[in-house]
Amino acid sequence: AQSVTQPDARVTVSEGASLQLRCKYSYFGTPYLFWYVQYPRQGLQLLLKYYPGDPVVQGVNGFEAEFSKSNSSFHLRKASVHWSDWAVYFCAASFPGGNYKPTFGKGTSLVVHP
Amino acid sequence: DAGVTQTPRHEVAEKGQTIILKCEPVSGHNDLFWYRQTKIQGLELLSYFRSKSLMEDGGAFKDRFKAEMLNSSFSTLKIQPTEPKDSAVYLCASRGTDYEQYFGPGTRLTVL
């Protein structure tokens, strides 16, 4: 079955440190992939998206993600975390074989320490 | 461009009441989604419309949840009758041809 997994429910980093949030998908082909961020009491906002092409995609606020077909992964990275990055991050996929219905991971809560 | 609008932002209902949540998608988007968000279950898809046709009705949510697209620029989600376990944030999202979803701010529902 098609699915998206975020193995880390919570990640804690110090301000200024680098960050990687993990995302893996299950699908025989190549889905469209997305990272969204949710700040408290708000809806989700798009950080970046991947369509088949260059495996490294750049997003807003210094975020980037790398697609790996061999690992079925789409990990999110940032070189230097800011306190304002404290939020919940969701990985999502739309699968061409499934009406492009979006499937979300359960989210990773990012905590930033000063 | 205006984003996705959801009203009301907060709703308090008594158990057994009927409530209707409203959503206006981004103009020109053909796909519309309703989600329920809780801390325990995360994001759960309730309904998925494409060009006003229902593509997915959320399986387990069919009983008391009914989403409708009254026209291409307005959708409602009716919960009838409400139960305390329905307390959650309800998110509406729309999507264009690039498959990127735009989310509204959500409606926080509390059922007493």
Side-chain angles (χ1 to χ4, degrees), chain B residues 9 64 68 92 97 103:
Chain B
R9 292 294 309 275
R64 298 179 296 106
E68 290 184 299
C92 177
T97 53
F103 283 81

Side-chain angles (χ1 to χ4, degrees), chain A residues 26-43:
Chain A
S26 174
Y27 182 60
F28 68 89
T30 300
Y32 297 161
L33 293 159
F34 308 85
W35 275 99
Y36 292 87
V37 61
Q38 186 177 33
Y39 299 104
R41 308 267 172 185
Q42 295 185 27

Side-chain angles (χ1 to χ4, degrees), chain A residues 32-108:
Chain A
Y32 297 161
L33 293 159
F34 308 85
W35 275 99
Y36 292 87
V37 61
Q38 186 177 33
Y39 299 104
R41 308 267 172 185
Q42 295 185 27
L44 282 69
Q45 303 169 36
L46 183 75
L47 272 181
L48 46 78
K49 56 192 175 189
Y50 170 79
Y51 304 135
D54 189 333
V56 179
V57 292
Q58 305 294 327
V60 297
N61 297 333
F63 285 95
E64 69 173 28
E66 183 166 5
F67 168 73
S68 170
K69 187 169 177 62
S70 60
N71 293 323
S72 298
S73 67
F74 188 55
H75 301 330
L76 181 70
R77 302 190 296 240
K78 187 170 184 178
S80 177
V81 170
H82 188 263
W83 65 267
S84 60
D85 296 324
W86 190 325
V88 181
Y89 293 79
F90 291 92
C91 182
S94 287
F95 302 104
N99 276 327
Y100 292 92
K101 184 182 85 171
T103 300
F104 282 82
K106 290 203 173 290
T108 298

